[in-house]
């Protein structure tokens, strides 16, 4: 009986090479005297890569191979005993090719609409140099960072994102998406493991841009909240929750969903500390707050004049100015808003209604007499809030919001 061998998986190294992984399930009638892989671009003429000689059953093996281009490659594990050579039943495929998300513009949020392999530039933070805020005390001159590793910080659904790695040779972060919709965050770190920056990966069908006209002016907006995986209310509770999207503290780039977060034990934190701890939540700086979570306060963290490095929106968009919320705050003159039990429908002025859900508020459950270090999503379908990009007044540490 010949050996039984199988392909397992592959890994992408920082240098751009590939690690092939195989497994010897059974040795067959006699000891295995050689094992390894065949790989190459021509499925009919693969190159043999010998890994070793004798190997026991139920043991994995691997080989690192160079991949000089982005073409499709094939690989197949093999093993040899005294009766001959056997191969894995399947022939695996891999490629270094990936879609560069940064090519369409740098941002703190990247939209991914299909399963596949993707990269982005982890050496430039936010939207780049044009997003620098003078006098902010952190990243005021330089937007370049030098990471040495990358990791998946959190994902809403297991298996959404896999194979996350930083490739030093190609100076990018590469990852694979399964096609499952939801939200995740990928972070890059220095040699000590400190997070230097992080990016929101928003897996959803491509949002549609809509033209919205009110008494203040004309605005071009996406058809859903950041992080939402559907634009309409849906027909049941689960679909309704899919329209909520992610939540934010004013001035921070980091998304929250009411689950994947930890509590800061400090009453206030700096912007620098928030960047290195993107899962931190705070009891300060909420929708009704008169002060901010950050000290010193950066009044231009989000701006009405330009997109900043802390803006959480995808490329081409930014947190809206107060004018976009004008008719909501003014009580919805004319046909601008219609309230149902779970949110608002805004008329875009072109016969299209945009649904703004009552997506709840992340609150400290100290309101219920418990520890302020615990947080939960409160009032889903009954309350919701939308930040504007500016503080309530030039000296205020609170911000405009609609709720």
């Amino acid at each position: 009986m010949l050996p039984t061998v199988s392909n397992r998986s592959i890994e992408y190294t920082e240098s751009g090479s590939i690690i092939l992984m195989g497994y010897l399930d059974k040795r067959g009638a006699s000891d295995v005297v050689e094992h390894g892989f065949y790989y190459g671009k021509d499925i009919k003429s693969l190159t043999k890569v010998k890994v070793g000689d004798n190997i026991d059953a139920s043991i994995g093996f691997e080989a690192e191979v160079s991949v000089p281009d982005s073409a499709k490659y094939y690989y197949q594990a093999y093993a040899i005993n005294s009766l001959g050579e056997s191969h894995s039943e399947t022939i695996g495929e891999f490629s270094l090719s990936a879609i560069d998300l940064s090519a369409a513009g740098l941002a703190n949020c990247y939209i991914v609409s299909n399963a596949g392999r993707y990269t982005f530039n982890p050496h430039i933070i936010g939207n780049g140099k044009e997003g620098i805020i003078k006098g902010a005390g952190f990243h005021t001159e330089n937007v370049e960072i030098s990471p040495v590793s990358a990791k998946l910080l959190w994902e809403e659904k297991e298996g959404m994102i896999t194979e996350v790695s930083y490739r030093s040779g190609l100076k990018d972060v590469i990852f694979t998406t399964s096609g499952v919709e939801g939200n995740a965050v990928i972070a890059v770190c220095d040699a000590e493991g400190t997070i230097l920056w992080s990016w929101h990966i928003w897996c959803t069908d491509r949002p549609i841009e809509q033209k919205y006209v009110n008494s203040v002016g004309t605005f071009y907006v996406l058809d859903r909240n950041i992080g939402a995986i559907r634009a309409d209310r849906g027909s049941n509770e689960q679909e309704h929750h899919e329209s909520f999207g992610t939540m934010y503290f004013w001035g921070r780039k980091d998304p929250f969903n009411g689950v994947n977060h930890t509590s800061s034990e400090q009453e206030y934190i700096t912007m620098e500390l928030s960047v290195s701890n993107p899962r931190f939540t705070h009891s300060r700086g909420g929708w009704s707050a008169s002060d901010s979570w950050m000290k010193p306060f950066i009044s231009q963290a989000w701006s009405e004049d330009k997109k900043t490095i802390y803006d959480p929106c995808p490329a081409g968009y930014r947190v809206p100015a107060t004018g976009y919320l004008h008719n909501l705050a003014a009580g919805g003159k004319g046909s601008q808003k219609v309230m149902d039990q779970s949110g608002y429908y805004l008329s875009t002025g072109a016969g299209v209604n945009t649904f703004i859900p009552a997506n709840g508020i992340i609150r400290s459950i100290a309101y219920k007499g418990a520890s302020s270090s615990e947080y939960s999503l409160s009032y889903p379908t009954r309350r919701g809030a939308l930040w504007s990009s500016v503080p309530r007044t030039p000296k205020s540490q609170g911000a405009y919001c609609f709720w």
Side-chain angles (χ1 to χ4, degrees):
M1 182 181 295
L2 292 173
T4 304
V5 66
S6 60
N7 299 332
R8 279 302 169 97
S9 60
I10 61 171
E11 286 187 359
Y12 298 86
T13 70
E14 294 183 0
S15 63
S17 61
I18 299 291
I19 297 177
L20 306 177
M21 298 182 181
Y23 194 82
L24 181 65
D25 300 286
K26 297 178 181 179
R27 68 174 192 147
S30 61
D31 290 342
V32 171
V33 296
E34 183 180 324
H35 61 283
F37 298 92
Y38 288 93
Y39 93 105
K41 291 187 282 188
D42 184 351
I43 197 171
K44 297 180 180 180
S45 180
L46 301 178
T47 301
K48 177 186 279 190
V49 179
K50 179 181 175 181
V51 173
D53 299 318
N54 296 332
I55 185 174
D56 294 327
S58 302
I59 289 181
F61 56 92
E62 61 185 46
E64 184 172 350
V65 297
S66 64
V67 184
D69 53 42
S70 59
K72 180 186 290 186
Y73 282 76
Y74 302 92
Y75 73 101
Q76 187 173 33
Y78 78 88
I80 301 174
N81 65 10
S82 61
L83 297 182
E85 180 173 313
S86 64
H87 308 90
S88 61
E89 291 185 358
T90 60
I91 298 178
E93 300 179 2
F94 64 87
S95 172
L96 286 182
S97 64
I99 297 173
D100 182 6
L101 297 171
S102 302
L106 297 169
N108 289 314
C109 172
Y110 291 115
I111 301 171
V112 174
S113 299
N114 298 293
R117 287 168 43 74
Y118 296 86
T119 65
F120 63 83
N121 181 353
H123 288 266
I124 306 295
I125 62 174
N127 58 322
K129 193 170 183 179
E130 61 270 24
I132 282 181
I133 309 163
K134 299 295 184 181
F138 183 55
H139 283 295
T140 58
E141 301 293 337
N142 190 2
V143 292
E144 297 183 6
I145 56 175
S146 300
V148 299
S149 64
K151 62 182 179 181
L152 177 64
L153 200 60
W154 61 262
E155 59 183 354
E156 287 183 331
K157 301 169 186 174
E158 186 176 358
M160 277 181 55
I161 292 181
T162 58
E163 300 174 339
V164 177
S165 65
Y166 170 71
R167 300 189 294 186
S168 58
L170 299 175
K171 296 186 180 299
D172 65 11
V173 166
I174 188 167
F175 62 96
T176 300
T177 59
S178 64
V180 173
E181 293 185 314
N183 298 280
V185 170
I186 292 176
V188 295
C189 305
D190 63 16
E192 285 70 44
T194 300
I195 293 175
L196 300 177
W197 205 261
S198 58
W199 287 263
H200 174 198
I201 307 301
W202 179 11
C203 299
T204 185
D205 60 301
R206 179 62 56 175
I208 298 172
E209 183 181 274
Q210 296 180 336
K211 181 180 179 181
Y212 172 57
V213 181
N214 66 15
S215 57
V216 174
T218 299
F219 302 86
Y220 294 88
V221 299
L222 295 180
D223 63 358
R224 67 195 73 184
N225 286 342
I226 299 177
I229 62 174
R230 68 180 306 121
D232 58 18
R233 184 189 184 281
S235 59
N236 55 52
E237 183 177 355
Q238 178 180 340
E239 291 180 347
H240 185 202
H241 280 253
E242 291 174 351
S243 71
F244 285 2
T246 44
M247 300 183 184
Y248 297 85
F249 286 87
W250 189 90
R252 287 186 69 174
K253 64 179 179 60
D254 309 302
F256 296 88
N257 66 353
V259 178
N260 296 295
H261 56 256
T262 57
S263 175
S264 168
E265 296 181 357
Q266 302 177 42
E267 187 174 14
Y268 302 98
I269 67 171
T270 63
M271 180 66 83
E272 182 175 3
L273 188 59
S274 79
V275 168
S276 61
N277 295 274
R279 298 173 70 174
F280 268 5
T281 55
H282 318 274
S283 58
R284 298 265 181 187
W287 60 273
S288 61
S290 60
D291 64 353
S292 173
W293 55 269
M294 59 176 147
K295 296 288 184 182
F297 179 67
I298 303 173
S299 62
Q300 294 294 311
W302 295 348
S303 174
E304 195 167 27
D305 301 320
K306 69 174 186 177
K307 184 173 184 176
T308 74
I309 57 173
Y310 303 112
D311 192 296
C313 299
Y317 299 90
R318 60 188 176 96
V319 178
T322 54
Y324 168 59
L325 305 177
H326 174 78
N327 281 34
L328 292 175
K333 297 177 181 178
S335 61
Q336 295 297 330
K337 75 173 185 180
V338 178
M339 178 67 177
D340 74 357
Q341 62 179 351
S342 55
Y344 283 93
Y345 288 89
L346 298 182
S347 170
T348 64
V352 178
N353 289 328
T354 296
F355 179 63
I356 297 181
N359 54 352
I361 299 168
I362 297 178
R363 298 180 66 184
S364 165
I365 60 175
Y367 285 103
K368 304 173 185 178
S371 168
S372 62
S373 65
E374 299 180 48
Y375 294 82
S376 64
L377 180 64
S378 299
Y379 309 120
T381 74
R382 290 195 290 145
R383 285 187 181 179
L386 293 176
W387 289 120
S388 76
S389 58
V390 294
R392 189 176 297 117
T393 66
K395 296 183 179 181
S396 172
Q397 293 186 17
Y400 281 111
C401 68
F402 158 72
W403 65 280

